Amino acid sequence: MTEHWAVVIGVGNAYRRDDGVGSAVALQIEKLDIPGVLVTLSDGEPMRVADLWAGMDLAVVIDAVRCEPSIPGRVRRGGIDLLRHTRTAASSHTLGIQDALPLGRAIGRVPGRIVVIAVDAARLDPGIGLSEPVAAAVPHAVETVRAELRRAAPTNHLHS
């Protein structure tokens, strides 16, 4: 088994339209089979997220967000604060991915660095399938994740 230095976490619910973008991007990254990179899906539950990223050099979190003004399909890169200044698609839940960092700190389960890739959602109603602008943004989000992994790689052996 390979030692993992990074984790890519696709957050969301594929049965709530654009909330499935995190999963869609993560599944594309998983197909690349990048050495040392664990790819997983999550509903954003903080304790599970803290367990996933504990001890990793890098955690890349992909999530759908709603913000004002909304530009469906816009891809942004930032820190965990990016989720604090927007409403994550799962904001109907009491806790979310933004709560995982303080929890992880409290129990000693944090990564070296967290990067959030946020995609502006158009539709979060029940149903399957991404809206057109969000589906069109998936390749850009995948490349944004890949670029982050290349920047942070312990060696330059990542796939190009």
Side-chain angles (χ1 to χ4, degrees), residues 14 30 38 40 48 54 129 140 155-156:
E30 186 174 49
L38 172 66
T40 188
R48 283 190 288 255
H140 176 54
T155 63
N156 287 331

Side-chain angles (χ1 to χ4, degrees), residues 60-112:
V60 179
V61 177
I62 309 122
D63 202 358
V65 296
R66 275 286 177 98
C67 59
E68 297 299 328
S70 179
I71 304 172
R74 175 175 51 174
V75 176
R76 290 177 288 152
R77 177 203 168 278
I80 200 85
D81 284 345
L82 185 57
L83 298 178
R84 292 189 207 292
H85 300 299
T86 60
R87 292 182 303 138
T88 62
S91 65
S92 60
H93 304 291
T94 305
L95 297 173
I97 194 81
Q98 64 273 24
D99 300 300
L101 184 57
L103 175 65
R105 283 185 180 137
I107 62 173
R109 300 186 67 74
V110 294

